[in-house]
Amino acid sequence: RCPAPQVTGRPCVLQVLGKVYAVLSDAKQRAMYDETGMVDEEAEALRGDRDWLEYWQLFFKVTVKDIEDYQKSYKNSEEELADVKAAYLNFKGDMDRIMESVLCVDYTDEPRIREMIERAIGAGELPSYKAFVRESKQKMMSRRRR
Protein backbone atom coordinates (compact mmCIF):
# COMPACT_ATOMS: atom_id res chain seq x y z
CA ARG A 1 0.00 0.00 0.00
CA CYS A 2 1.36 3.40 -0.92
CA PRO A 3 0.96 6.41 1.35
CA ALA A 4 -0.50 8.46 -1.53
CA PRO A 5 -2.70 7.43 -4.45
CA GLN A 6 -0.81 6.58 -7.59
CA VAL A 7 -1.81 8.90 -10.40
CA THR A 8 0.86 7.82 -12.83
CA GLY A 9 0.10 4.12 -12.90
CA ARG A 10 3.71 3.37 -11.92
CA PRO A 11 4.42 1.26 -8.83
CA CYS A 12 5.16 3.27 -5.74
CA VAL A 13 8.67 3.55 -4.38
CA LEU A 14 7.78 1.39 -1.37
CA GLN A 15 6.71 -1.46 -3.64
CA VAL A 16 9.85 -1.23 -5.75
CA LEU A 17 12.10 -1.09 -2.67
CA GLY A 18 10.22 -4.01 -1.18
CA LYS A 19 10.81 -6.13 -4.27
CA VAL A 20 14.47 -5.20 -4.40
CA TYR A 21 14.86 -6.06 -0.74
CA ALA A 22 12.99 -9.35 -1.23
CA VAL A 23 15.36 -10.38 -4.04
CA LEU A 24 18.52 -9.36 -2.21
CA SER A 25 17.54 -10.97 1.08
CA ASP A 26 16.50 -14.33 -0.39
CA ALA A 27 19.55 -16.48 -1.20
CA LYS A 28 17.88 -18.32 -4.11
CA GLN A 29 16.48 -15.15 -5.66
CA ARG A 30 19.81 -13.35 -5.22
CA ALA A 31 21.77 -16.21 -6.79
CA MET A 32 19.37 -16.32 -9.75
CA TYR A 33 19.67 -12.56 -10.22
CA ASP A 34 23.47 -12.63 -9.92
CA GLU A 35 23.69 -15.40 -12.51
CA THR A 36 21.06 -14.30 -15.03
CA GLY A 37 20.25 -10.67 -14.28
CA MET A 38 16.59 -11.69 -13.96
CA VAL A 39 14.22 -12.43 -11.10
CA ASP A 40 11.30 -14.82 -10.72
CA GLU A 41 8.36 -12.37 -10.70
CA GLU A 42 6.06 -15.18 -9.53
CA ALA A 43 8.09 -15.93 -6.41
CA GLU A 44 6.15 -15.66 -3.16
CA ALA A 45 8.57 -13.03 -1.83
CA LEU A 46 7.71 -10.72 -4.74
CA ARG A 47 3.94 -10.91 -4.59
CA GLY A 48 2.28 -7.54 -4.11
CA ASP A 49 -0.01 -8.45 -1.20
CA ARG A 50 2.33 -7.13 1.50
CA ASP A 51 1.65 -3.77 3.15
CA TRP A 52 4.98 -2.20 2.22
CA LEU A 53 4.37 1.05 4.10
CA GLU A 54 3.84 -0.88 7.32
CA TYR A 55 6.80 -3.16 6.59
CA TRP A 56 9.27 -0.33 5.99
CA GLN A 57 7.98 1.59 9.01
CA LEU A 58 8.70 -1.45 11.17
CA PHE A 59 12.02 -2.07 9.49
CA PHE A 60 13.29 1.50 9.78
CA LYS A 61 11.16 2.66 12.73
CA VAL A 62 10.02 5.74 10.77
CA THR A 63 6.88 7.56 11.82
CA VAL A 64 4.78 10.15 10.02
CA LYS A 65 6.07 12.69 12.55
CA ASP A 66 9.66 11.81 11.57
CA ILE A 67 8.82 12.51 7.94
CA GLU A 68 7.05 15.78 8.80
CA ASP A 69 10.01 16.87 10.94
CA TYR A 70 12.39 16.08 8.09
CA GLN A 71 10.25 18.07 5.66
CA LYS A 72 10.33 21.08 7.98
CA SER A 73 14.11 20.95 8.32
CA TYR A 74 14.66 20.27 4.60
CA LYS A 75 12.51 23.03 3.14
CA ASN A 76 14.48 26.26 2.61
CA SER A 77 17.70 24.54 3.69
CA GLU A 78 21.09 24.55 1.98
CA GLU A 79 20.49 20.87 1.17
CA GLU A 80 17.26 21.67 -0.65
CA LEU A 81 18.91 24.54 -2.54
CA ALA A 82 21.70 22.20 -3.65
CA ASP A 83 19.12 19.60 -4.75
CA VAL A 84 17.12 22.22 -6.69
CA LYS A 85 20.26 23.45 -8.45
CA ALA A 86 21.32 19.90 -9.30
CA ALA A 87 17.85 19.07 -10.67
CA TYR A 88 17.82 22.29 -12.70
CA LEU A 89 21.17 21.41 -14.28
CA ASN A 90 20.30 17.74 -14.72
CA PHE A 91 16.98 18.45 -16.45
CA LYS A 92 18.20 21.58 -18.28
CA GLY A 93 15.52 23.81 -16.73
CA ASP A 94 12.50 21.54 -17.31
CA MET A 95 10.23 22.46 -14.38
CA ASP A 96 8.07 19.36 -14.80
CA ARG A 97 11.07 17.13 -14.16
CA ILE A 98 12.51 19.42 -11.47
CA MET A 99 9.25 19.38 -9.49
CA GLU A 100 9.04 15.58 -9.79
CA SER A 101 12.57 15.00 -8.56
CA VAL A 102 13.10 17.43 -5.65
CA LEU A 103 12.19 15.97 -2.26
CA CYS A 104 9.20 17.18 -0.26
CA VAL A 105 7.70 19.49 -2.89
CA ASP A 106 4.27 19.76 -4.41
CA TYR A 107 2.61 22.28 -6.71
CA THR A 108 2.25 24.83 -3.89
CA ASP A 109 6.05 24.96 -3.60
CA GLU A 110 6.61 25.85 -7.24
CA PRO A 111 6.79 29.65 -6.77
CA ARG A 112 9.39 29.14 -4.02
CA ILE A 113 11.42 26.68 -6.13
CA ARG A 114 11.19 28.96 -9.16
CA GLU A 115 12.42 31.89 -7.07
CA MET A 116 15.41 29.85 -5.82
CA ILE A 117 16.37 29.08 -9.41
CA GLU A 118 15.88 32.67 -10.59
CA ARG A 119 18.12 33.96 -7.76
CA ALA A 120 20.82 31.43 -8.69
CA ILE A 121 20.60 32.41 -12.37
CA GLY A 122 20.80 36.10 -11.41
CA ALA A 123 23.87 35.40 -9.24
CA GLY A 124 25.55 33.56 -12.11
CA GLU A 125 25.47 30.23 -10.24
CA LEU A 126 23.26 28.58 -12.88
CA PRO A 127 22.99 28.98 -16.65
CA SER A 128 19.79 30.38 -18.10
CA TYR A 129 18.06 27.49 -19.88
CA LYS A 130 15.40 28.32 -22.44
CA ALA A 131 13.12 25.58 -21.06
CA PHE A 132 12.99 27.48 -17.77
CA VAL A 133 12.97 31.15 -18.76
CA ARG A 134 10.60 30.70 -21.69
CA GLU A 135 8.25 28.14 -20.20
CA SER A 136 4.73 28.68 -21.52
CA LYS A 137 1.84 29.55 -19.23
CA GLN A 138 0.00 26.55 -20.70
CA LYS A 139 2.72 24.14 -19.57
CA MET A 140 2.78 25.71 -16.11
CA MET A 141 -1.01 25.44 -15.76
CA SER A 142 -0.96 21.86 -17.00
CA ARG A 143 1.54 20.97 -14.25
CA ARG A 144 -0.65 22.60 -11.61
CA ARG A 145 -3.73 20.69 -12.79
CA ARG A 146 -1.79 17.39 -12.58
Side-chain angles (χ1 to χ4, degrees):
R1 182 184 103 213
C2 289
Q6 292 298 300
V7 205
T8 62
R10 296 180 290 187
C12 84
V13 173
L14 296 172
Q15 292 168 329
V16 172
L17 287 175
K19 287 185 177 190
V20 169
Y21 180 77
V23 168
L24 296 177
S25 63
D26 180 273
K28 288 173 78 176
Q29 286 287 328
R30 174 90 185 244
M32 180 178 167
Y33 178 77
D34 288 344
E35 188 174 317
T36 67
M38 298 171 58
V39 296
D40 178 8
E41 291 287 333
E42 300 300 315
E44 188 175 325
L46 297 181
R47 292 205 184 118
D49 54 356
R50 174 178 263 168
D51 184 342
W52 289 110
L53 177 60
E54 182 181 310
Y55 174 79
W56 288 110
Q57 283 177 333
L58 289 172
F59 191 77
F60 288 110
K61 308 288 190 253
V62 175
T63 66
V64 172
K65 184 178 180 340
D66 293 333
I67 295 168
E68 290 169 350
D69 289 346
Y70 177 77
Q71 286 177 325
K72 286 177 189 170
S73 69
Y74 179 77
K75 285 191 176 192
N76 295 308
S77 69
E78 287 300 315
E79 182 182 6
E80 182 187 44
L81 179 59
D83 290 347
V84 167
K85 287 178 180 179
Y88 176 83
L89 291 170
N90 190 39
F91 300 121
K92 304 211 181 320
D94 183 339
M95 277 301 284
D96 286 343
R97 310 264 319 267
I98 293 167
M99 293 299 292
E100 289 173 356
S101 68
V102 175
L103 293 174
C104 307
V105 299
D106 62 29
Y107 74 96
T108 62
D109 294 301
E110 184 171 339
R112 184 176 62 79
I113 300 299
R114 185 171 285 280
E115 184 180 324
M116 293 167 91
I117 295 169
E118 289 169 349
R119 277 196 312 259
I121 291 171
E125 298 169 5
L126 291 175
S128 178
Y129 289 124
K130 189 167 111 175
F132 179 78
V133 295
R134 294 194 183 150
E135 182 179 48
S136 71
K137 295 283 184 200
Q138 181 180 1
K139 185 176 178 194
M140 193 181 299
M141 294 307 293
S142 174
R143 184 171 47 253
R144 286 188 182 149
R145 279 193 300 273
R146 280 195 309 267

